[in-house]
C-alpha cells in the first residue's frame, strides 16, 4: 500500500458525509461525573477552558505545526467572559480543528443519542461459494451492544461452509466509530500478530494486534469476542469500500493488509486515517482529539484517502464476487 498525499488538517469539511460525532476511538478517558448526578458542579470559564486546552495540548497530532501559544492565548481571551459552557464551544472547537484536523471535534453535553439499538455485522450467501459480510459503523457505549457487535465473529463461523470461494467484507456504509469491537468481530478472517500501528506526533508507534479472538493495543487486551473455533487464513478476502468508508473502517482496511490474498474494490475511502482520544468535560461535553496517524502493520502510513486496488463505480460487490470466483476457478483442485 503506497503512501498517499497529505490530507489537509486545517479544519476543512470532510470529503464524505461522515457524521462528525463518530470518532475512530484510540482510547477513551474515564468520564467524570456529569451535572445530572453531580449537583455541586459550578461552571468556571477559566477552569473549564484550561482543562480543555490542556487536553488538546497534550494530545493534538498537529500541535507542533501550528502556533499553539497564539492559539491558546486567543481562545482564553475569547472565552474569558463566558457564563455557560456553550459560550466557549466555538472557540474550543476551532482549537481542536487546528491542533487535530478535521477528524477532531466537540460534542455538546446531551447530544450523544440513546442507542436503543446498534447494528451488528451480518453475513449473506451469494452464488458460487461467496459470502458477503456487511460490517456497519459502531458507536454505542453500551456494553451489551459492544458484546453483540464483537459477536459478529459467530456470523463468520456460521457461514464458513458457504464461503468455499472466499469472503467479501463490505465497508461501503461504515463511517467508523469504535474500532476495537469491529476488529474483534473480524478476528476469524484476520491473522494472528500485528495488524496495524497508531503513530503519534513524535513518531512513536503503538501496535494493534490480534491473537485468537482477542484484540490488543500495545499488548493490552481491549476487545474480544466469544470464542469461535474457526479461522480462515486461506480463502481470499475482497474488501469493498467507498467515499463514506471512514475512520475505524479505514483501520479495518489497513488491518487486512497484514494478510495475503486480499484485494479491494470500490472508490477511495474518506481519508480519516487517524486515531482519536476522547475526553469528557465536567458538564458532559465530549472533546474528540486526533492523536495518531494510522499505519499498516509494517509502518506504511496513508495520509489521505485509501484507494482501492480496483476502481468499481458501478457495482463493487459484483466486481469483488467476480474476482473471488476467478480466483476460486483458477486454484488447483485438492490433491494436485
Amino acid at each position: 500500500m503506497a503512501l498517499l498525499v497529505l490530507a489537509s488538517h486545517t479544519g476543512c469539511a470532510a470529503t464524505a458525509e461522515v457524521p462528525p460525532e463518530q470518532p475512530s476511538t484510540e482510547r477513551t478517558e474515564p468520564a467524570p461525573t456529569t451535572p445530572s448526578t453531580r449537583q455541586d458542579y459550578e461552571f468556571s470559564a477559566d477552569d473549564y477552558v484550561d482543562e480543555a486546552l490542556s487536553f488538546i495540548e497534550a494530545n493534538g497530532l498537529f500541535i507542533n505545526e501550528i502556533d499553539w501559544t497564539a492559539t491558546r492565548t486567543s481562545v482564553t481571551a475569547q472565552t474569558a467572559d463566558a457564563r455557560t459552557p456553550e459560550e466557549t464551544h466555538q472557540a474550543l472547537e476551532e482549537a481542536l480543528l487546528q491542533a487535530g484536523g478535521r477528524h477532531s471535534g466537540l460534542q455538546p453535553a446531551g447530544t450523544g443519542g440513546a442507542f436503543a439499538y446498534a447494528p451488528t455485522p451480518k453475513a449473506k450467501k451469494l452464488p458460487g461459494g461467496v459470502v458477503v459480510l456487511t460490517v456497519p459503523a459502531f458507536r454505542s457505549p453500551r456494553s451489551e451492544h459492544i458484546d453483540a457487535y464483537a459477536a459478529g465473529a459467530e456470523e463468520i463461523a456460521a457461514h464458513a461452509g458457504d464461503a468455499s470461494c472466499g469472503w467479501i467484507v463490505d465497508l461501503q456504509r461504515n463511517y467508523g466509530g469504535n474500532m476495537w469491537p469491529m476488529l474483534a468481530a473480524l478476528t476469524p478472517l484476520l491473522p494472528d500478530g500485528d495488524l496495524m500501528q497508531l503513530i503519534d506526533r513524535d513518531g512513536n508507534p503503538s501496535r494493534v494486534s490480534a491473537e485468537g479472538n482477542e484484540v490488543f493495543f500495545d499488548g493490552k487486551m481491549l476487545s474480544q469476542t466469544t470464542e469461535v473455533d474457526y479461522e480462515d487464513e486461506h480463502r481470499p478476502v475482497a474488501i469493498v469500500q467507498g467515499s463514506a468508508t471512514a475512520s475505524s473502517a479505514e483501520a479495518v482496511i489497513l488491518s487486512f493488509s497484514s494478510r495475503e490474498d486480499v484485494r479491494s474494490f470500490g472508490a477511495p475511502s474518506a481519508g480519516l486515517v487517524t486515531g482519536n482520544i476522547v475526553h469528557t468535560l465536567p458538564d458532559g461535553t465530549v472533546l474528540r482529539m486526533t492523536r495518531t496517524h494510522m499505519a499498516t502493520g509494517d509502518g506504511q502510513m496513508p495520509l489521505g484517502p485509501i484507494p482501492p486496488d480496483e476502481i468499481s463505480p458501478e457495482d463493487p460487490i459484483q466486481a469483488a464476487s467476480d474476482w473471488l470466483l476467478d480466483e476460486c476457478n483458477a486454484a488447483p483442485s485438492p490433491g494436485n
Side-chain angles (χ1 to χ4, degrees):
M1 188 177 295
L3 297 183
L4 303 178
V5 178
L6 179 64
S8 171
H9 54 264
T10 56
C12 63
T15 55
E17 293 183 5
V18 183
E21 71 275 12
Q22 319 301 334
S24 167
T25 306
E26 179 183 326
R27 62 180 187 270
T28 304
E29 292 191 350
T33 305
T34 59
S36 60
T37 56
R38 185 178 144 190
Q39 301 301 322
D40 62 341
Y41 170 70
E42 293 184 9
F43 173 72
S44 163
D46 288 345
D47 293 344
Y48 186 90
V49 170
D50 182 69
E51 180 177 340
L53 292 176
S54 295
F55 168 71
I56 295 170
E57 183 173 350
N59 296 286
L61 182 58
F62 304 116
I63 202 98
N64 296 327
E65 301 177 27
I66 63 174
D67 187 343
W68 174 246
T69 300
T71 297
R72 183 161 191 147
T73 299
S74 175
V75 172
T76 301
Q78 290 178 63
T79 58
D81 297 326
R83 293 168 294 178
T84 67
E86 290 75 18
E87 292 178 359
T88 72
H89 286 177
Q90 181 176 346
L92 289 177
E93 185 150 38
E94 290 174 358
L96 284 161
L97 291 171
Q98 288 182 42
R102 64 188 179 97
H103 204 182
S104 300
L106 179 150
Q107 181 176 307
T111 60
F115 300 108
Y117 167 77
T120 58
K122 297 296 181 185
K124 178 182 178 182
K125 179 182 177 182
L126 295 184
V130 173
V131 173
V132 179
L133 183 71
T134 300
V135 182
F138 179 76
R139 61 181 291 259
S140 173
R142 292 172 56 170
S143 59
E144 65 269 28
H145 291 166
I146 292 172
D147 292 344
Y149 192 102
E154 297 176 3
E155 277 282 287
I156 297 173
H159 286 78
D162 299 325
S164 57
C165 281
W167 302 87
I168 296 174
V169 176
D170 185 2
L171 302 169
Q172 292 179 92
R173 295 172 181 82
N174 187 331
Y175 53 73
N178 188 338
M179 66 184 277
W180 306 108
M182 206 172 287
L183 291 176
L186 292 165
T187 50
L189 300 181
L190 290 167
D192 288 344
D194 289 345
L195 300 178
M196 61 173 294
Q197 299 181 32
L198 294 166
I199 301 174
D200 68 17
R201 65 194 181 195
D202 297 319
N204 300 312
S206 294
R207 297 187 180 277
V208 178
S209 60
E211 185 69 34
N213 295 126
E214 298 177 330
V215 178
F216 298 84
F217 179 67
D218 272 351
K220 179 181 179 181
M221 196 271 288
L222 286 191
S223 187
Q224 62 182 331
T225 184
T226 50
E227 188 171 341
V228 174
D229 188 20
Y230 173 72
E231 189 169 337
D232 192 342
E233 294 186 19
H234 305 292
R235 284 177 282 193
V237 172
I239 304 293
V240 175
Q241 61 182 71
S243 61
T245 303
S247 187
S248 289
E250 290 171 298
V252 171
I253 295 173
L254 296 180
S255 293
F256 269 100
S257 71
S258 65
R259 63 161 283 173
E260 298 179 351
D261 295 325
V262 174
R263 186 168 179 82
S264 56
F265 300 81
S269 66
L272 297 180
V273 281
T274 47
N276 291 349
I277 184 170
V278 177
H279 178 72
T280 305
L281 294 171
D283 70 319
T285 293
V286 176
L287 304 179
R288 185 179 69 256
M289 183 75 257
T290 299
R291 187 176 184 274
T292 57
H293 290 292
M294 293 180 186
T296 61
D298 59 2
Q300 296 183 66
M301 189 167 64
L303 300 176
I306 302 171
D309 295 313
E310 183 175 316
I311 298 290
S312 312
E314 299 299 327
D315 191 345
I317 294 288
Q318 185 61 55
S321 179
D322 290 344
W323 174 72
L324 289 171
L325 293 174
D326 286 345
E327 291 289 297
C328 189
N329 292 332
S333 56
N336 290 346

